[in-house]
Amino acid sequence: MVKRLMQLLALNAKPAVKDRTVFNGQLLDQRREDVFVVLHQMGVIR
């Protein structure tokens, strides 16, 4: 029984594998341009 509990604790102690997101440079560029346009329209950037 103790051995089984130790195995369960060992399994739960391992960090969960997270899905890695793929870097999307094109999306980053689009967002950057959108932010620039909004800031320009607000008058923050001239």
Side-chain angles (χ1 to χ4, degrees):
M1 184 70 174
V2 173
K3 190 175 184 179
R4 179 70 177 147
L5 288 173
M6 294 302 283
Q7 288 176 344
L8 287 173
L9 289 174
L11 287 176
N12 290 336
K14 295 178 184 175
V17 177
K18 295 181 181 176
D19 294 333
R20 290 184 174 255
T21 56
V22 178
F23 179 75
N24 190 342
Q26 186 176 11
L27 181 60
L28 179 63
D29 290 339
Q30 180 62 45
R31 294 292 186 245
R32 185 181 296 124
E33 291 173 9
D34 292 345
V35 169
F36 179 79
V37 168
V38 170
L39 290 175
H40 185 69
Q41 290 174 346
M42 291 172 52
V44 177
I45 298 176
R46 294 184 182 190

